Amino acid sequence: MRKVKTAGCFAVIILSLALVIYVFGNRFVFHAARYGLRKSLPQYEISLESARITRDSLSLYGIHAKNKNISFDARETQISFKPVNLIRGKISKIAVKNSAAQARGPADKILSAVPFFTASAKPSGFSLHLGQLEITALTLDIQSDVLTLKGSMSFLIDPSAKKIATMETRISSAESHGLSFKNISVSFDEKNGGQLSTESISYQKLAASALQSPFHLDGNTLKIEPIRGVTLDGNLEGRFQIQLAGDKAYELNLTLQQLSLPALISDLKLEDKMSMTGRFLGKILIHGNNSGVDSIDGTLSGSNQGGDLVILDETFLGNIASRMNQPLELVKAGLKEYHYDTGQARLLKNGRDLGLDLSLDGPKGKRHLSTVFHDAV
């Protein structure tokens, strides 16, 4: 079974003292529990409102723990045990109810301040075997250099089997690496797997909404598929998988249907530079890891209806004329009220820039346009 080192320090000190004190009455329990908390978590300022012990449980009320990066409050914490098993370092369950956690600072500092992420020494060679850990109604407020998040969660985990039994999460808002999420809902249980939904997700100026997908764990790989949602007045489907160990390598594979070009231009705030009608469909493949996005490769094609293109920006027209080695007035005339019947688009990442190549074909001939979105990735 899993050895939970910091929790072991906490429980062994508190429960060993509390079990002895139980013989003499509950009046010493509060002092024993507070002493155990402070001894187990020396990096935190600890306060405790009250404590009560029975023959098979220890209840702690009003725990407040605080250090430079983390503040934690728990209205009630119940530690369930059997006296005969406690001697062997076994605890049936720790249940934390109505708690709140606030974290501020760099992510590495926050993680190092979380008890289960630290390698505390085991008291007197003792270690703890924990049967279940249950957190109910935990409110989260995190602001770090890589993640901003507000929400709540409840979960039940089995440390011995290293697995989550049940989980319910509601995140009102979250931001990380340029991605913004709104109203995320995650539910999971061992029998039925997981379900993920979010009201919206945005990156830079682009957004998708009404995303829904089941998910499951395959070893150390989290797989979210099939993903379904709405973007640019069209539909998207896809799959996402990420390695939970190592460098957190991930892959996002999207199929896009009937994307509106007017909606794209509007989202990118390009109305003063160009206008374009029509719809596109295609695929986009994105690879990356915890260091960022490695590659973006997208191929799109226009729908059968075609569309119209008008370039309004003089600088953009001048750049096209230079690349084509043609007079500016000739380029202007060629792109004035240009209608295309077919279109192809290619999306590629180059460093931190995102390049878009557009090839069109219509009654006035072929047109090739390219642009770069700097620092978009």
Side-chain angles (χ1 to χ4, degrees):
M1 297 178 72
R2 181 182 178 185
K3 298 181 178 180
V4 186
K5 296 180 180 178
T6 303
C9 181
F10 163 73
V12 168
I13 292 175
I14 293 178
L15 294 177
S16 295
L17 287 172
L19 191 62
V20 174
I21 292 170
Y22 175 66
V23 179
F24 302 98
N26 272 333
R27 61 193 180 95
F28 297 110
V29 171
F30 169 78
H31 298 286
R34 187 177 60 180
Y35 172 80
L37 282 168
R38 291 174 175 174
K39 198 72 173 177
S40 303
L41 302 169
Q43 72 272 41
Y44 284 84
E45 296 177 12
I46 301 287
S47 63
L48 177 67
E49 292 181 5
S50 62
R52 182 174 61 88
I53 193 170
T54 67
R55 65 179 183 178
D56 56 6
S57 69
L58 172 65
S59 297
L60 308 177
Y61 302 96
I63 296 176
H64 177 70
K66 184 179 180 180
N67 67 8
K68 184 177 180 180
N69 300 105
I70 292 178
S71 176
F72 176 79
D73 292 277
R75 185 176 300 176
E76 180 182 353
T77 301
Q78 186 175 70
I79 305 172
S80 302
F81 58 88
K82 293 180 180 180
V84 65
N85 288 334
L86 181 61
I87 297 173
R88 302 169 184 169
K90 294 182 179 180
I91 293 206
S92 303
K93 184 177 182 179
I94 295 179
V96 183
K97 303 176 183 178
N98 299 316
S99 56
Q102 185 181 82
R104 299 288 187 270
D108 57 341
K109 297 291 186 181
I110 292 173
L111 286 176
S112 65
V114 177
F116 288 106
F117 284 89
T118 59
S120 301
K122 291 177 284 188
S124 304
F126 224 103
S127 63
L128 173 70
H129 300 277
L130 176 59
Q132 290 183 323
L133 173 62
E134 182 178 36
I135 306 291
T136 305
L138 169 63
T139 301
L140 296 170
D141 182 0
I142 301 172
Q143 292 183 22
S144 76
D145 52 341
V146 297
L147 174 67
T148 300
L149 180 149
K150 288 187 177 182
S152 63
M153 68 185 307
S154 300
F155 60 84
L156 174 65
I157 65 174
D158 182 350
S160 61
K162 299 182 180 180
K163 65 181 181 181
I164 299 174
T166 62
M167 178 177 65
E168 290 287 341
T169 302
R170 300 289 184 270
I171 304 298
S172 59
S173 63
E175 294 185 12
S176 180
H177 297 291
L179 285 169
S180 296
F181 301 86
K182 184 178 180 181
N183 292 333
I184 305 170
S185 174
V186 181
S187 60
F188 175 83
D189 66 71
E190 292 180 89
K191 294 182 179 179
N192 301 314
Q195 186 69 33
L196 166 70
S197 66
T198 178
E199 179 180 323
S200 67
I201 175 173
S202 60
Y203 182 77
Q204 301 288 354
K205 299 175 182 178
L206 298 177
S209 60
L211 292 172
Q212 296 186 34
S213 177
F215 67 89
H216 67 278
L217 282 170
D218 184 2
N220 285 327
T221 303
L222 172 63
K223 296 183 177 181
I224 304 175
E225 59 181 337
I227 302 170
R228 293 187 175 90
V230 177
T231 184
L232 299 175
D233 293 335
N235 299 318
L236 68 82
E237 293 187 4
R239 65 179 185 272
F240 175 79
Q241 66 177 39
I242 182 171
Q243 300 292 328
L244 300 180
D247 64 354
K248 309 296 189 298
Y250 64 82
E251 176 184 291
L252 175 61
N253 195 324
L254 294 175
T255 298
L256 309 170
Q257 298 284 345
Q258 298 299 312
L259 301 187
S260 166
L261 294 179
L264 173 63
I265 291 171
S266 176
D267 283 3
L268 295 176
K269 311 299 182 186
L270 297 175
E271 296 95 333
D272 59 336
K273 298 181 182 297
M274 63 185 297
S275 68
M276 192 171 184
T277 62
R279 290 183 177 271
F280 271 59
L281 54 89
K283 296 180 180 294
I284 296 179
L285 181 62
I286 302 174
H287 288 99
N289 53 43
N290 57 6
S291 298
V293 178
D294 285 335
S295 66
I296 298 177
D297 189 353
T299 303
L300 304 171
S301 59
S303 63
N304 295 334
Q305 291 83 4
D308 297 305
L309 169 66
V310 178
I311 303 296
L312 305 172
D313 184 76
E314 291 285 338
T315 303
F316 189 37
L317 286 168
N319 292 335
I320 295 174
S322 297
R323 285 195 299 270
M324 297 176 65
N325 196 26
Q326 292 185 2
L328 176 60
E329 294 303 318
L330 182 62
V331 172
K332 283 183 179 181
L335 290 174
K336 183 179 181 180
E337 297 179 356
Y338 176 79
H339 177 83
Y340 68 92
D341 296 316
T342 62
Q344 299 288 329
R346 187 74 188 276
L347 197 64
L348 287 172
K349 176 182 178 291
N350 183 13
R352 291 185 53 83
D353 300 335
L354 189 61
L356 174 64
D357 291 323
L358 183 63
S359 298
L360 305 173
D361 195 358
K364 291 185 179 181
K366 296 181 179 180
R367 301 290 186 269
H368 180 78
L369 309 174
S370 64
T371 188
V372 176
F373 301 96
H374 295 287
D375 295 324
V377 182

